Amino acid sequence: MKQQLTKIGLVAGSALAAASLVACGGGGGSSGSSTTPPPVGTAGTLTVALTDAPACGFDAVNVTVSKVRVNKSATASDTDAGWVDVTLNPARKIDLLKLTNGVLDTLGQTSLEAGHYTQVRLVLDSNASGTANTVLPTGSKTEQPLDTPSAVQSGIKLTGEFDVAVGQRSDIVIDFDACKSVLTKGNGKYALKPVLRMVPSAVNNGITGVIATTALANHVVVSAQQNGKIIASTAPDSTGAFNLSHLTAGNYDVVITSDNSAASVISAVPVTASGTTAISTTGAPIALALSTTGSISGTVTMTPPSATEAAYVAAKQSFASGPTVTIKYQGADLATGAYTLANLPVAAPQYAVYSSTLPLAFNAAVGVTPATYTVEASANGYTTKSVSGVSIATANQANVNFALAP
């Protein structure tokens, strides 16, 4: 049964819910799966949970999870020895968009030999039926199948490592970025290109805050970024509250966007290994400044073409004596290379430097030319390219094309 938890520390409390899950088994047909439990006195426990970032333009993003696999060897193939599986029996269809704001879905747990594990794979249904992995486009009443790569049958490899100690429980969270993972494929079709990160943490740390409810009807997205790269993102709940959870300790720039407002940016928000950092409260929520919007569109050509990699395009802005942040991003269409970065603010961002004294004071950003962006295209294995000074001030529409090469 699906368990949604708001704190990873509560995962242990859901252990009974995992009774219907087959752990430590060879179910799934891999000859490398573990078939016997580790000897008494040599094992700990691994618990696996799933969470998500918001999706772009969808009311539901469904994936069917069949198992999670772990191995001490970072180079082990799917048929090598040493794999231990957490198998969902039966496989379970999960709507990722119900897992924002730190909500977790516990996939299961298993007894695991103590040691250092360097490979984690998430195995999804192959979607042969067309109903296991689907999307529901915003405004539609019909789920559309996701073209699912064959690699999901052997497992989507995650970057990250974790340790299991004798007699102790280790918790890992798999963050499934639905927005980056679902791409158009021409002619109204959609493809799944999974983008995942693993967080080996039992602490629900991160950044919290509240957005004024007047903005919520316009697709508010809150992201935590470092050097212009989005590390985590979420959408506020119906009260305006948000939680950017499970972040590695460090400083982050928080970017808040919506479809009809200027971006709000808070720089240098500190995050510790435990606890949360608040940037606003219910009594003084962050109000977004209204702005007209424009768009930037074009195509991305990859030479040589790739059957496995996707191209992503981002619109960025840089602050004088401050950070560079991503305002909007989108994956290019896999068939045509076309992209459109819509609802880009014409007004300059509102900017504040983090302070523990709330509420924060926002002002129009200094050194940022309104309606002007640096547009960047990237893909794994290809050299990133960017075009600066792209303006939407006059026509509210700009066209920028990219040709990516290794």
Side-chain angles (χ1 to χ4, degrees):
M1 181 177 294
K2 182 174 182 178
Q3 297 288 322
Q4 291 190 342
L5 309 175
T6 56
K7 292 185 178 179
I8 190 168
L10 296 179
V11 169
S14 66
L16 292 178
S20 62
L21 304 179
V22 180
C24 249
S30 171
S31 61
S33 296
S34 173
T35 57
T36 57
V40 176
T42 68
T45 301
L46 173 69
T47 299
V48 184
L50 187 70
T51 191
D52 175 47
C56 308
F58 300 104
D59 290 337
V61 176
N62 301 300
V63 296
T64 298
V65 180
S66 59
K67 69 175 74 174
V68 177
R69 315 193 71 202
V70 299
N71 200 303
K72 290 181 179 180
S73 171
T75 59
S77 72
D78 59 311
T79 57
D80 284 344
W83 288 101
V84 179
D85 296 348
V86 177
T87 302
L88 284 72
N89 188 14
R92 186 148 53 84
K93 190 173 181 179
I94 299 169
D95 181 2
L96 295 175
L97 300 196
K98 294 181 179 179
L99 304 181
T100 58
N101 272 316
V103 172
L104 302 179
D105 188 335
T106 301
L107 300 179
Q109 68 176 21
T110 182
S111 178
L112 201 61
E113 183 181 37
H116 184 65
Y117 289 79
T118 58
Q119 188 175 170
V120 179
R121 294 191 186 190
L122 178 69
V123 182
L124 303 181
D125 187 279
S126 64
N127 210 32
S129 66
T131 60
N133 305 317
T134 65
V135 294
L136 181 65
T138 298
S140 174
K141 296 182 179 180
T142 304
E143 291 183 22
Q144 300 295 322
L146 279 169
D147 182 14
T148 306
S150 59
V152 304
Q153 298 174 58
S154 59
I156 307 158
K157 191 173 180 179
L158 285 75
T159 300
E161 304 176 1
F162 66 93
D163 293 302
V164 174
V166 174
Q168 301 296 313
R169 190 190 75 248
S170 294
D171 303 286
I172 62 173
V173 174
I174 298 173
D175 189 346
F176 203 126
D177 191 330
C179 187
K180 281 189 174 181
S181 298
V182 178
L183 300 174
T184 57
K185 197 181 178 181
N187 299 321
K189 297 181 179 179
Y190 300 93
L192 181 66
K193 294 282 186 178
V195 178
L196 312 173
R197 71 182 180 113
M198 188 191 78
V199 185
S201 173
V203 178
N204 190 21
N205 71 330
I207 300 169
T208 62
V210 184
I211 307 299
T213 56
T214 52
L216 299 184
N218 294 292
H219 303 108
V220 176
V221 174
V222 187
S223 62
Q225 305 186 18
Q226 291 179 322
N227 300 317
K229 179 181 179 182
I230 297 175
I231 306 301
S233 61
T234 193
D237 64 19
S238 60
T239 69
F242 65 86
N243 180 9
L244 292 161
S245 60
H246 316 304
L247 297 174
T248 302
N251 285 347
Y252 293 83
D253 303 309
V254 175
V255 180
I256 306 165
T257 63
S258 80
D259 289 348
N260 69 344
S261 70
S264 292
V265 178
I266 305 101
S267 66
V269 179
V271 173
T272 62
S274 61
T276 58
T277 302
I279 58 174
S280 61
T281 63
T282 302
I286 295 173
L288 304 183
L290 294 177
S291 172
T292 56
T293 62
S295 63
I296 299 172
S297 61
T299 59
V300 181
T301 303
M302 300 165 65
T303 305
S306 174
T308 59
E309 299 301 334
Y312 295 88
V313 185
K316 299 185 175 185
Q317 291 182 312
S318 298
F319 295 75
S321 302
T324 294
V325 297
T326 293
I327 304 299
K328 298 276 187 176
Y329 74 94
Q330 188 192 46
D333 187 278
L334 293 173
T336 66
Y339 74 90
T340 298
L341 295 165
N343 299 309
L344 288 167
V346 170
Q350 296 292 302
Y351 182 62
V353 177
Y354 171 77
S355 169
S356 58
T357 302
L358 302 178
L360 300 174
F362 288 87
N363 296 287
V366 175
V368 178
T369 304
T372 302
Y373 295 86
T374 294
V375 187
E376 180 180 281
S378 62
N380 288 334
Y382 295 78
T383 301
T384 298
K385 289 190 175 182
S386 63
V387 177
S388 60
V390 179
S391 176
I392 56 173
T394 303
N396 289 338
Q397 170 71 47
N399 186 267
V400 181
N401 299 321
F402 294 93
L404 300 184

